Amino acid sequence: MALFASGAIIGLSIAGYGLFTAKGTRSRAVPPEAVAMVNQRQILRSDFMTQTQTQFSAPFAQTSMAQRKQTIEAMIDEELMMQRGLEIDLPSYDPDVRNALVAGVELEVTADVLAQQPTPEQLRAYYEQHQDQYSSEGVMQLRDLVATSKDSATRAAEELRHGRPLETVIKQYGLTDSGRFMDAGHVDTGDIFQFAVRAKLDDALYQATAPLKTGEVSAPVTRSDGAHLIVMIQHRFPVRQTFEQASDRVWSDFKKDAQAKVRAANLAYLRSRADIIIAPEYAR
Amino acid sequence: MLGMPGHKRVLRSILLMLLLAALTVTFARWLGFRQRADQLLRQDPDRILTDSRLMQFAAQVAQPRYRQHCARCHGGAFQGDPALGVPNIARDGWLYGNAPVDVEHTILYGVRSGHPMSRNVTDMPALVRDGQITSADAWDVVEYLQSLAGRSHDPEAALRGRSIYYGKGNCFDCHASDARGVADYGTPALTGPVYLYGGDRQTLYQSILNGRHGQCPAWVNVLSPLQIRALALYLVSAPRAHATD
């Protein structure tokens, strides 16, 4: 009998504790980690202490009770305004609020990834797989010239390879600048980053350009506007960083990649459970 | 029950007493834990530092968490990791201030962690790569830093480096006029003998060439407020004690 009674008391105690401490339970008490509750939402002590320090430019230990109360009141005001914003559904029409919400959700999703520390082996493997990322940006000075025919371009290239001055060959073969590399209305003969060259040339032209060393001329590349010749005036190739030199960038890139994967997985999950209907003209 | 032999009844009573005693002890321990947890969270953290009973409790809560989450980067002896730019908190303290409030904020939201409240005022720029100073300038600054640390250096280069430190390099803006670092920005001292990423010439040059952007994760969604407060107190007191041992 006594055993049953003990069991009943323990059971009731656990149930009672669970009932009054469960999330969502309305309470008049402020939990120890909070400094105030506003409509049952906590204002964290840690945030309050940092805010007090910032507001009064003094270490928290040196702030007065009056200053601390002032901070609490300001934080309560802020919390009330935030809650009002949710009441009037601010996120549905204010782009700043929407952006902040998106950023906040992404952070929630990627928090675990941010907290995990990659091992040195993982970092080195990542570096090996992405070596191209850990180089200085290459710089080129070049001319992208167009001839009316492939034959003419071939002969012009031969002349240039034999050391004839560029301007002479341009005149002799009637070569024109493609107009892809312009600076304030003039042909850009200054330094151009390799990524910019890549952006301005199509694949075939870039493939012909990238390996050229200083002073070299490409073979003619026929495009719709004529036969192109790339004359590399100067080419400073990218310099690869060692793992040690790039270690902190490797670390942050590793994290960014991991975050991107988690973000994509989260969006896939959200889409899988969402009811999304797209207008017929865009549904195909 | 009535038909139960006498010795069985006695045995059952003893078992019941033992069970009640165990429950009472467990409840008392739980109550004690809750009380200390409550005090740890409610009291001003600076005051707790002088309360040995609460500090002992903080250490009990913090140590397993430190081993699980922090030690990989910060080291078992708080020695940090120059390869990742993790400071030696036993010797140099915290980059963003040594008060428990400051450390707690750093643990909660991290350093350049991506959290909107993380410590992210500034970053060490890639001064040479960005073209703010030349490679030769950077080597001169390195000589100046060697002179600040009292190491052997080229006096002429150090003099040039000094003018770059206060001039076009703008180094003093973040690292302070006395090169002792600024807690508001989390910038480390450049006066040695211990450096965030290592104090040899090549490493210092690499910092100026490529910049640095050390990170610490935000723990706000991983650890509880109690664990974070306990860790902050533990990490303010334990590394100092470790350094003086």
Side-chain angles (χ1 to χ4, degrees):
Chain A
M1 194 68 180
L3 202 60
F4 288 131
S6 308
I9 290 168
I10 293 164
L12 283 171
S13 306
I14 293 169
Y17 178 78
L19 191 64
F20 291 107
T21 56
K23 270 191 175 175
T25 309
R26 289 189 74 80
S27 167
R28 296 297 305 163
V30 179
E33 65 269 25
V35 73
M37 297 279 282
V38 181
N39 295 324
Q40 298 297 307
R41 291 180 72 104
Q42 293 182 4
I43 295 178
L44 276 182
R45 271 177 198 274
S46 179
D47 295 344
F48 153 70
M49 290 188 295
T50 308
Q51 176 101 344
T52 307
Q53 288 194 151
T54 310
Q55 194 168 337
F56 297 104
S57 303
F60 184 74
Q62 291 170 22
T63 54
S64 67
M65 183 52 80
Q67 288 173 321
R68 294 181 187 190
K69 283 184 174 175
Q70 198 178 324
T71 308
I72 292 176
E73 292 303 324
M75 293 182 83
I76 289 172
D77 287 348
E78 185 191 80
E79 180 61 33
L80 285 170
M81 295 294 274
M82 191 280 295
Q83 290 184 17
R84 179 64 183 151
L86 291 179
E87 266 178 7
I88 60 174
D89 199 15
L90 210 52
S92 69
Y93 58 87
D94 185 319
D96 289 342
V97 178
R98 293 174 73 90
N99 290 341
L101 270 176
V102 170
V105 171
E106 283 195 350
L107 192 76
E108 284 286 328
V109 170
T110 55
D112 284 350
V113 174
L114 286 166
Q116 282 164 7
Q117 300 301 310
T119 62
E121 293 75 31
Q122 285 176 309
L123 290 174
R124 192 169 278 279
Y126 184 87
Y127 167 79
E128 299 294 343
Q129 285 164 14
H130 301 85
Q131 280 203 4
D132 290 351
Q133 289 180 28
Y134 305 109
S135 307
S136 63
E137 194 58 56
V139 177
M140 297 174 176
Q141 289 177 13
L142 56 84
R143 297 286 292 273
D144 176 17
L145 303 169
V146 185
T148 48
S149 69
K150 188 171 181 181
D151 183 49
S152 164
T154 306
R155 280 186 279 118
E158 280 305 313
E159 298 257 11
L160 287 167
R161 286 185 193 118
H162 282 96
R164 284 198 70 192
L166 179 60
E167 294 306 323
T168 312
V169 175
I170 287 174
K171 275 185 191 159
Q172 184 181 340
Y173 290 93
L175 305 176
T176 54
D177 262 291
S178 69
R180 285 185 166 90
F181 300 99
M182 303 297 284
D183 181 16
H186 300 282
V187 176
D188 186 355
T189 53
D191 285 348
I192 306 170
F193 281 118
Q194 195 158 333
F195 69 84
V197 173
R198 188 181 301 148
K200 289 182 178 175
L201 297 179
D202 63 32
D203 283 349
L205 275 172
Y206 184 73
Q207 295 302 326
T209 306
L212 293 177
K213 294 178 188 145
T214 298
E216 286 187 338
V217 181
S218 73
V221 180
T222 307
R223 316 308 297 156
S224 58
D225 57 345
H228 286 244
L229 273 186
I230 304 290
V231 182
M232 188 61 69
I233 298 162
Q234 194 177 60
H235 190 174
R236 299 199 292 281
F237 283 90
V239 178
R240 186 159 287 174
Q241 286 181 293
T242 63
F243 175 71
E244 286 69 28
Q245 287 167 337
S247 61
D248 59 333
R249 275 185 63 209
V250 174
W251 193 90
S252 68
D253 289 349
F254 181 95
K255 288 261 178 181
K256 275 183 201 157
D257 263 16
Q259 283 180 67
K261 281 179 191 155
V262 171
R263 194 179 296 125
N266 179 58
L267 276 173
Y269 164 70
L270 291 177
R271 279 173 174 271
S272 73
R273 64 171 203 173
D275 181 15
I276 301 170
I277 305 169
I278 299 173
E281 65 270 29
Y282 293 108
R284 273 172 268 127
Chain B
M1 209 59 177
L2 287 173
M4 198 181 280
H7 69 277
K8 274 198 173 178
R9 207 176 302 158
V10 171
L11 192 65
R12 186 161 284 197
S13 298
I14 290 170
L15 279 173
L16 185 64
M17 295 281 279
L18 283 174
L19 179 68
L20 282 174
L23 281 170
T24 308
V25 169
T26 307
F27 182 69
R29 284 174 68 102
W30 175 81
L31 208 61
F33 180 88
R34 293 297 313 169
Q35 274 178 345
R36 279 175 293 170
D38 205 80
Q39 287 172 342
L40 202 71
L41 284 163
R42 284 189 196 279
Q43 282 192 22
D44 281 4
D46 289 278
R47 282 195 195 167
I48 299 174
L49 286 175
T50 57
D51 184 333
S52 58
R53 191 180 60 91
L54 276 179
M55 285 304 292
Q56 199 180 346
F57 175 64
Q60 279 171 14
V61 174
Q63 278 167 346
R65 302 283 85 78
Y66 181 82
R67 283 196 295 272
Q68 185 183 355
H69 297 295
C70 317
R72 182 184 282 179
C73 291
H74 286 279
F78 314 105
Q79 76 276 20
D81 183 354
L84 291 174
V86 181
N88 181 334
I89 49 177
R91 185 159 186 164
D92 301 333
W94 290 73
L95 288 172
Y96 291 88
N98 290 306
V101 175
D102 301 320
V103 175
E104 188 170 325
H105 185 92
T106 304
I107 299 169
L108 261 175
Y109 302 117
V111 179
R112 297 179 196 93
S113 65
H115 192 287
M117 290 173 75
S118 71
R119 307 242 187 228
N120 194 14
V121 177
T122 185
D123 218 353
M124 170 71 197
L127 291 173
V128 177
R129 280 186 186 278
D130 293 348
Q132 188 170 336
I133 63 174
T134 65
S135 179
D137 291 339
W139 283 113
D140 288 345
V141 172
V142 168
E143 286 307 304
Y144 174 56
L145 299 183
Q146 297 295 305
S147 76
L148 289 179
R151 297 174 176 178
S152 66
H153 60 275
D154 174 347
E156 283 183 18
L159 207 60
R160 290 194 300 272
R162 186 181 185 283
S163 70
I164 293 159
Y165 184 91
Y166 292 101
K168 67 176 176 179
N170 257 335
C171 316
F172 76 100
D173 222 8
C174 293
H175 288 280
S177 297
D178 60 4
R180 292 188 185 281
V182 178
D184 287 347
Y185 305 147
T187 47
L190 299 175
T191 48
V194 175
Y195 296 81
L196 200 52
Y197 287 87
D200 61 283
R201 284 181 166 85
Q202 188 58 40
T203 306
L204 289 170
Y205 175 75
Q206 285 298 327
S207 297
I208 303 169
L209 173 73
N210 292 321
R212 301 284 187 186
H213 39 273
Q215 291 177 302
C216 175
W219 297 100
V220 62
N221 295 317
V222 181
L223 301 175
S224 71
L226 173 67
Q227 289 168 336
I228 288 175
R229 168 63 57 84
L231 266 172
L233 292 162
Y234 174 66
L235 291 175
V236 165
S237 63
R240 284 181 198 160
H242 200 275
T244 52
D245 280 349

